[in-house]
Amino acid sequence: MDEKIRMDCSRETKVSGRRRFRVLLVCTLLYVVVLSVSVFMYLPDLFDRNAWSEMGVNIFLWRLTVSLLAWIWSAVLICILVRMHKGRGPFGGEISLGMYITGAGLMLVAFLFPFIKGYTIEMGLFIQFGEYFTIDGFPFVIGLLCLILGYVLRIGVGYQKEMEQTI
């Protein structure tokens, strides 16, 4: 009864679609970088000519916000590409950090933008405390959902690391 049991405990697992994911990731990264650069390229011109008043306060502020968030997500996508290039999985703490920053930024925007003269709440969703304190409800809810999703991603990445260590 001399049986030999062989167990393969290597961490190398073949994941299908990795190349397609990288191509999609690089295309998304290029688009996000072009989006963020395009807004920052015209920003000094907008302040010099005072063109933001012609464009509208809402459009100007939201373009600036989307550009800042695009820079953050550019950094997150670059971190994911680096992780994949090193042979590790695409999911790490960068995604949850990006979601936390996005959620906190959108919640901050929801508090600050209503105080800017000329800003109007267009979605009809707002939270008002008293006469003078208004919160733009749409970015507030989206920011809250981003914070929740960031927490869920952080927990998932923690479980993934724990499972990799036990195997």
Side-chain angles (χ1 to χ4, degrees), residues 109-115 121 125-137:
V109 158
F111 285 107
L112 294 180
F113 281 4
F115 289 113
I121 299 174
L125 178 65
F126 62 92
I127 303 165
Q128 188 167 5
F129 299 105
E131 256 179 68
Y132 300 106
F133 189 69
T134 304
I135 299 172
D136 193 353

Side-chain angles (χ1 to χ4, degrees), residues 147-167:
L147 288 175
I148 292 169
L149 183 60
Y151 180 74
V152 168
L153 286 170
R154 189 185 78 182
I155 297 296
V157 167
Y159 281 139
Q160 178 185 1
K161 285 181 182 177
E162 182 180 321
M163 187 170 43
E164 287 175 359
Q165 289 176 352
T166 57
I167 291 180

Side-chain angles (χ1 to χ4, degrees), residues 40-151:
F40 273 115
M41 196 167 69
Y42 295 110
L43 199 59
D45 192 38
L46 289 175
F47 281 121
D48 287 343
R49 293 182 311 149
N50 206 13
W52 62 273
S53 60
E54 297 169 9
M55 178 189 310
V57 175
N58 286 18
I59 294 172
F60 176 74
L61 291 174
W62 281 109
R63 281 187 182 175
L64 186 61
T65 302
V66 166
S67 177
L68 289 171
L69 292 177
W71 278 106
I72 292 166
W73 281 99
S74 296
V76 169
L77 292 175
I78 288 171
C79 289
I80 292 172
L81 276 173
V82 168
R83 287 179 63 83
M84 290 182 70
H85 183 70
K86 290 181 178 179
R88 296 185 298 188
F91 299 112
E94 300 90 9
I95 295 176
S96 60
L97 181 64
M99 290 303 290
Y100 283 146
I101 292 172
T102 301
L106 286 174
M107 290 181 77
L108 184 67
V109 158
F111 285 107
L112 294 180
F113 281 4
F115 289 113
I116 297 174
K117 186 178 179 182
Y119 181 78
T120 57
I121 299 174
E122 296 179 2
M123 292 298 289
L125 178 65
F126 62 92
I127 303 165
Q128 188 167 5
F129 299 105
E131 256 179 68
Y132 300 106
F133 189 69
T134 304
I135 299 172
D136 193 353
F138 185 71
F140 181 79
V141 169
I142 299 298
L144 191 62
L145 290 174
C146 284
L147 288 175
I148 292 169
L149 183 60
Y151 180 74

